[in-house]
Amino acid sequence: MKISVIIPTYNRAQMVADCVASVLAQKGDFDLEVIVVDDCSPDDTKGTLLARFGNEARVRYLRNEHNSFQAVSRNRGAAVASGDYLFFLDDDNLLRPECLAELLMVFGRHPDAGLVAPMAVHRRPGQDGLVWTLGSDFKRWTSQPKDESPNLPLAELPASPVDWPTTYSPNAFMVPRDVFDAVGGFDEAYVQIFEESDLGWRIMETKRTGWICTHAVTDHLGFLEPGCVPALRLLGIEKSYRTFCFARNRLRFARRHFSFLQRLSVACVFAPLSVAYYGLVALRNHRLDIAWAYAKGTLIGMVTP
């Protein structure tokens, strides 16, 4: 049994090195390889990884020729992976030692599982010790995310069930290699944002199930860009291009997975309200570029496949 851990990264040399170290410290009866896909970082990510893991045969480094974002980087890592299971991990995570072994056991408990994920626990000021979610989905009539027990204090975590149903995971998740290949991997047209949601939903549409396991834990550090405006970061619109992708992909995802009437509701009611709301928040924070990016993304998402 072999697990390939695929970590896309950009300009976070020390953080991704710590992430890799937490993966290599995993306990369990399985083989392991770690594939870091450097998305053309301007920092010395390669040098930092070589200094810490240069003699570690299980670590492989790839570098994109230009900044290509998450969907491309994840697919590139998967293309060279040799594992029976692919574990996609964001670089701002530190896995606890039993994480991967616990995830493998989920597949034993749920033979129809196509995607399993660890429980993410926030580790940053203001959110320290809070569980991200016990299950992710979307509201079909608005395209808003629908999370189970968001920001639950870890001390209040129920003892059971251990496995909570989910349709996707935005931070870390494991997929059997054959399932990943059967659905065609990540859709690179998304570029970033919603690409992991789309993959999860396509897996669920093959009659597979998805689970978040509370016995498998990752500490999510939540990387914050220097000078980030908290109000915009909370909404996920701290950068213009990211905002454009967010708005466009929200409509693209709805058009792909929702029913006709649900798509109509999203496009005619929720999308215009979102443009007004996100635009107002952006303008209040003196970011006309963010307001324009969201409006442009929404328009393009309505008219392009």
Side-chain angles (χ1 to χ4, degrees), residues 3 11 25 58-59 69 79-80 89 97 128 133 158 204 210 248 283 291:
I3 301 174
N11 208 31
R58 294 177 294 173
V59 177
F69 297 96
V80 302
L89 180 64
D128 190 54
T133 178
M204 299 306 111
R248 179 197 62 187
L283 292 174

Side-chain angles (χ1 to χ4, degrees), residues 28 38 51 116 236 253:
D38 181 355
V116 301
F253 180 84

Side-chain angles (χ1 to χ4, degrees), residues 40-62:
C40 200
S41 299
D43 68 2
D44 191 21
T45 293
K46 182 177 181 179
T48 300
L49 292 173
L50 284 174
R52 289 186 64 174
F53 311 111
N55 296 321
E56 176 54 77
R58 294 177 294 173
V59 177
R60 182 172 181 179
Y61 172 85
L62 304 177

Side-chain angles (χ1 to χ4, degrees), residues 99 115 159 228 279 298:
C99 182
L115 178 151
C228 176
T298 298

Side-chain angles (χ1 to χ4, degrees), residues 58-75:
R58 294 177 294 173
V59 177
R60 182 172 181 179
Y61 172 85
L62 304 177
R63 180 177 171 86
N64 294 337
E65 293 184 1
H66 53 83
N67 194 223
S68 303
F69 297 96
Q70 289 93 326
V72 168
S73 295
R74 287 168 171 163
N75 278 343

Side-chain angles (χ1 to χ4, degrees), residues 126-141:
Q127 290 186 307
D128 190 54
L130 301 181
V131 175
W132 186 337
T133 178
L134 294 177
S136 296
D137 201 349
F138 286 98
K139 299 175 183 177
R140 272 64 167 177
W141 297 96

